[in-house]
Amino acid sequence: MSAGYQAQARLHRIGRWWAVDIPQAAVHTQCRTLDEAETMARDAVARAHGLRPDTITVELVVPEFAMLLHDVQRGVRRRRAHRATDGGADHHVLADAARTLVQDWHVSQSDAGRLLGLSHDEISRLAPPRAPDASRPWPALGPLAPPSAPASGVDRTSVSGTTGLPRHRPPSPTRPSWAIAEDDG
């Protein structure tokens, strides 16, 4: 691939989406994963400037994670420079960064791996997904009992106006208008 046009794409999280801004090309797009971000940015710049996508080089930058990623890169460089035999130092830095990205900032394991330069397997070992009960705001219910007939004289629809339909949550202040309800994580 020849590098005819070089662009820097600045990414930031909006719910489960990545917003992708390319200021020098006055282009904005969004995607679900970092794997899509480079392709989406390249295609958007190509359409905006009438170029072939294979002539565009895109550098992905995530400012909100810059400090965390800088610390990780510094730890990895230090280990390589000293050829330390105690692989634990950078392992702890990577593990902490992986847990921060996956558990605290709700970045997918795939995206965390891309940000840290690790495989999906390495990320899953460093930051295993939360236990199903830990991610629920309610206790585990166990098996559901079969539905029973309503008590005589009680109209169950008059209480809430619905019969077992899911309640709608209020929109998240961080969710853009084009996002769907399932994006609120």
Side-chain angles (χ1 to χ4, degrees):
M1 173 167 71
S2 63
Y5 187 93
Q6 294 183 353
Q8 182 183 71
R10 298 175 64 81
L11 287 88
H12 66 274
R13 301 268 302 174
I14 301 176
R16 291 184 183 171
W17 289 85
W18 288 99
V20 183
D21 294 309
I22 304 116
Q24 72 193 60
V27 172
H28 173 81
T29 188
Q30 71 272 343
C31 56
R32 283 283 195 160
T33 68
L34 286 176
D35 288 336
E36 295 172 348
E38 188 172 355
T39 303
M40 296 288 289
R42 187 177 293 120
D43 290 346
V45 170
R47 280 191 307 276
H49 293 289
L51 301 170
R52 289 192 348 250
D54 64 347
T55 64
I56 299 168
T57 303
V58 176
E59 174 191 10
L60 301 179
V61 178
V62 187
E64 65 191 297
F65 302 152
M67 192 57 156
L68 174 74
L69 298 176
H70 175 73
D71 291 345
V72 169
Q73 291 170 349
R74 188 177 61 217
V76 170
R77 279 193 306 267
R78 189 176 345 167
R79 178 173 183 245
R80 286 183 185 148
H82 297 320
R83 298 285 182 223
T85 56
D86 67 338
D90 69 322
H91 175 77
H92 290 300
V93 171
L94 285 173
D96 287 343
R99 279 191 296 274
T100 299
L101 288 169
V102 173
Q103 294 174 359
D104 298 341
W105 293 342
H106 305 289
V107 173
S108 71
Q109 287 185 340
S110 175
D111 286 349
R114 174 128 185 190
L115 288 167
L116 296 173
L118 301 172
S119 71
H120 187 274
D121 289 337
E122 291 170 312
I123 289 293
S124 65
R125 281 192 302 271
L126 293 173
R130 289 184 246 189
D133 291 341
S135 64
R136 293 184 191 164
W138 60 88
L141 299 175
L144 296 175
S148 61
S152 62
V154 176
D155 180 12
R156 295 194 185 267
T157 60
S158 65
V159 175
S160 66
T162 62
T163 56
L165 296 176
R167 287 190 242 165
H168 294 287
R169 295 184 294 191
S172 166
T174 60
R175 185 175 79 204
S177 61
W178 46 262
I180 56 177
E182 290 82 30
D183 290 338
D184 288 342

